């Protein structure tokens, strides 16, 4: 149970910035400040638009992988290009998760 208070002075801008970051992470301002003070990893939640974009990229990556597998037997050069594109999308997805 948390019963102790700590007062911290900051500018209006800093307060707004901290509140915005806490809101993006989906936690209270107090939780956000405690987590940052103890070097905990804070993950911001994805907006609905970001989530929709992520899901679309996953579908594209899967489709390009399937196309690459289909063309591998008929045209190896085209298959390589499609697989390279799928690999590039996969890298973007990995960066998106961070």
């Amino acid at each position: 149970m948390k019963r102790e208070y700590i007062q911290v002075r900051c500018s209006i801008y800093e307060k707004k910035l901290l509140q915005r970051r806490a809101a993006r992470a989906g936690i209270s301002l107090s939780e956000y400040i405690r987590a940052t003070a103890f070097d905990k990893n804070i993950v911001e939640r994805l907006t609905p638009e970001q989530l929709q974009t992520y899901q679309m990229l996953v579908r594209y990556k899967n489709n390009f992988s399937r196309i690459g597998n289909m063309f591998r037997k008929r045209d190896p050069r085209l298959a390589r290009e499609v697989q390279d594109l799928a690999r590039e999308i996969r890298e973007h997805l990995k960066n998106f998760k961070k």
Side-chain angles (χ1 to χ4, degrees):
M1 182 124 205
K2 295 167 182 77
R3 297 180 188 181
E4 297 296 319
Y5 290 93
I6 298 175
Q7 292 182 353
V8 178
R9 292 189 180 272
C10 64
S11 69
I12 293 171
Y13 172 75
E14 290 170 330
K15 182 179 178 182
K16 294 284 185 191
L17 184 61
L18 288 169
Q19 288 172 330
R20 186 175 300 142
R21 288 182 179 177
R24 278 196 229 149
I27 57 178
S28 70
L29 180 58
S30 295
E31 288 179 90
Y32 181 81
I33 291 172
R34 276 194 304 273
T36 55
F38 294 118
D39 292 327
K40 291 184 180 176
N41 187 19
I42 300 171
V43 178
E44 292 184 8
R45 294 189 177 166
L46 298 177
T47 65
E49 294 84 19
Q50 289 172 324
L51 186 58
Q52 185 179 11
T53 303
Y54 179 81
Q55 291 170 341
M56 180 184 66
L57 285 173
V58 168
R59 283 194 307 270
Y60 285 171
K61 188 230 14 135
N62 291 338
N63 289 339
F64 281 119
S65 295
R66 289 181 188 130
I67 291 168
N69 290 337
M70 184 177 75
F71 285 116
R72 183 177 299 139
K73 295 177 184 173
R74 295 184 186 164
D75 187 357
R77 186 177 52 83
L78 178 61
R80 264 192 310 277
E81 288 181 30
V82 171
Q83 287 175 344
D84 289 343
L85 184 57
R87 202 172 297 116
E88 184 178 335
I89 291 173
R90 188 178 308 117
E91 288 303 315
H92 285 291
L93 289 172
K94 285 180 185 176
N95 291 334
F96 195 47
K97 288 181 181 179
K98 295 178 184 177

